[in-house]
Amino acid sequence: MNDRSTLDPIGLTRRLCEIESTTYHEGAVGDFLAGFLADRGWEIEKTPVPQPAESTTAGPRWNVYAGAARQTPDLVFSTHMDTVPPYIPFSEDSDFMYGRGVSDAKGIIAAQVAAAEALRAAGFRIALLFVSGEERDSAGAKTANLAPKGNRFLINGEPTDNRVALASKGALRVVLRAAGKMAHSAYPELGDNAVHKLVQVLEKLLKLRLPVTEDVGPSSLNIGQIHGGYAPNVIADHAEAQVLVRLVSDSAPVRAAILNAAEGLADVDFTLEIPFVRLRAVEGIPTMVAKFTTDIPQLSNWGEPLLLGPGNIHLAHTPQEKLAKKELLEAVELYIKVAKQLLA
């Protein structure tokens, strides 16, 4: 099959969303995209992305790069193939598509493919990069960054309501671990309660005055998970919490504040950092500030980045994820317009 007919981005979104691809399980959707794009005349590279130890049974996964043979692209469209759990089956009506990934980010994949094909037909040097693992640790982007293609611009796709992002907040993921001594709860003096220690640390964190950047907004802190102890009548000898800070500046003062809050009470492990980044505007295109993080900091070798895509981030990662078909089609034209302005 060698189908060069006009691409239907709504139909492609449907086909992509019918393939379950929560993080670590991107293999099948990567295979589909590689075959689909090869059939449409793209030169395909599939690069393996390693699985972490806890998901080695999930099977192989990859990044998919699509370009022209022996050609250095001027501009690369990129987004991610993985989605957050749980998988939500695709559905649609006359105006909207619903289900996991329609906006974050399989509809964006479809819009980027349609735009890339139109630009390729007009003689522009365009390529596509679709990666694994963005929703967890940017493993695919880190792998891709080891083999850049020399392009001048990277248009990364995330739900921005078809507005160009002027900045993207960073992220600092923290694990706090408190240790104690187990005892009967009737005799607390014989034990050392790790949960009580952890609660003290978390109370301090909630009172921190985090950095604010005037044209971006404040940092934010979320205590996302707490685990510890065995039973109400047992003094807990262990407790753990996972915290995520959204960064609007350098992480150093935030790290120092967290270490100070935990001193003498809990051990601190900074498990992931994605830096805050500023991005460029494009004349005539509405703008926004992305309070979320993206793969952009991990794709530093792929040209000057921009962030743009259809969909509302408030609905991503929720059971209500949806994307207007009209907005998806508008995104195709917007991607084409921005690419032409950049390459003029």
Side-chain angles (χ1 to χ4, degrees):
M1 177 182 174
N2 188 3
D3 183 5
R4 302 291 186 88
S5 59
T6 301
L7 188 144
D8 171 19
I10 295 172
L12 179 55
T13 302
R14 181 186 307 114
R15 295 177 71 181
L16 290 168
C17 290
E18 287 171 348
I19 304 171
E20 189 273 335
S21 64
T22 52
T23 307
Y24 308 138
H25 301 86
E26 303 96 330
V29 77
D31 287 338
F32 167 78
L33 266 175
F36 179 86
L37 294 169
D39 285 345
R40 299 184 68 86
W42 294 91
E43 189 81 7
I44 303 300
E45 296 178 19
K46 287 172 63 179
T47 305
V49 175
Q51 293 277 19
E54 65 268 23
S55 63
T56 52
T57 59
R61 59 178 180 163
W62 7 77
N63 294 335
V64 176
Y65 174 81
R70 297 175 297 280
Q71 181 189 88
T72 299
D74 290 318
L75 184 147
V76 175
F77 289 105
S78 180
T79 190
H80 56 96
M81 299 180 289
D82 63 316
T83 70
V84 296
Y87 176 67
I88 301 172
F90 178 89
S91 62
E92 63 183 310
D93 56 32
S94 58
D95 296 319
F96 289 93
M97 297 177 288
Y98 308 88
R100 184 60 77 224
V102 288
S103 65
D104 191 16
K106 292 177 176 179
I108 293 172
I109 292 175
Q112 291 186 340
V113 171
E117 293 207 341
L119 290 161
R120 179 181 64 169
F124 291 93
R125 298 159 69 97
I126 302 295
L128 297 155
L129 173 67
F130 302 126
V131 301
S132 294
E134 187 272 346
E135 295 289 6
R136 187 64 183 174
D137 57 7
S138 292
K142 293 173 184 176
T143 297
N145 214 35
L146 300 175
K149 300 299 182 182
N151 49 296
R152 294 161 51 203
F153 299 103
L154 177 83
I155 298 182
N156 188 248
E158 291 287 349
T160 66
D161 294 303
N162 279 342
R163 295 177 289 169
V164 173
L166 299 177
S168 175
K169 288 189 177 183
L172 183 65
R173 191 178 295 160
V174 189
V175 179
L176 301 161
R177 296 184 179 92
K181 180 182 177 182
M182 197 184 306
H184 195 295
S185 65
Y187 303 91
E189 68 276 9
L190 299 180
D192 184 18
N193 198 311
V195 171
H196 291 188
K197 292 179 180 179
L198 187 64
V199 168
Q200 292 179 63
V201 177
L202 298 179
E203 183 180 17
K204 292 179 181 180
L205 294 187
L206 291 174
K207 294 178 180 178
L208 288 179
R209 298 188 65 179
L210 297 170
V212 177
T213 298
E214 184 177 348
D215 58 340
V216 175
S219 307
S220 61
L221 183 148
N222 180 59
I223 302 168
Q225 291 181 298
I226 302 176
H227 305 282
Y230 299 97
N233 58 349
V234 179
I235 301 296
D237 66 349
H238 69 281
E240 177 180 304
Q242 299 213 25
V243 177
L244 182 66
V245 182
R246 299 287 178 178
L247 301 169
V248 298
S249 61
D250 182 76
S251 69
V254 177
R255 286 172 175 262
I258 291 172
L259 289 169
N260 183 63
E263 186 174 3
L265 295 168
D267 293 329
V268 180
D269 186 9
F270 297 105
T271 59
L272 175 70
E273 179 174 349
I274 301 173
F276 164 71
V277 293
R278 290 192 177 275
L279 301 162
R280 67 175 288 168
V282 178
E283 185 178 353
I285 308 297
T287 61
M288 56 89 74
V289 171
K291 294 185 178 182
F292 51 89
T293 57
T294 74
D295 273 333
I296 284 176
Q298 309 300 338
L299 292 170
S300 57
N301 295 328
W302 284 75
E304 182 180 357
L306 293 88
L307 181 61
L308 171 67
N312 188 307
I313 195 65
H314 297 162
L315 299 177
H317 300 196
T318 76
Q320 293 77 40
E321 184 171 354
K322 68 178 182 178
L323 179 63
K325 294 178 178 179
K326 178 182 177 182
E327 186 177 352
L328 177 63
L329 299 178
E330 289 171 349
V332 176
E333 298 306 314
L334 191 56
Y335 279 138
I336 293 170
K337 177 180 178 179
V338 170
K340 287 182 175 180
Q341 285 185 228
L342 293 173
L343 301 177

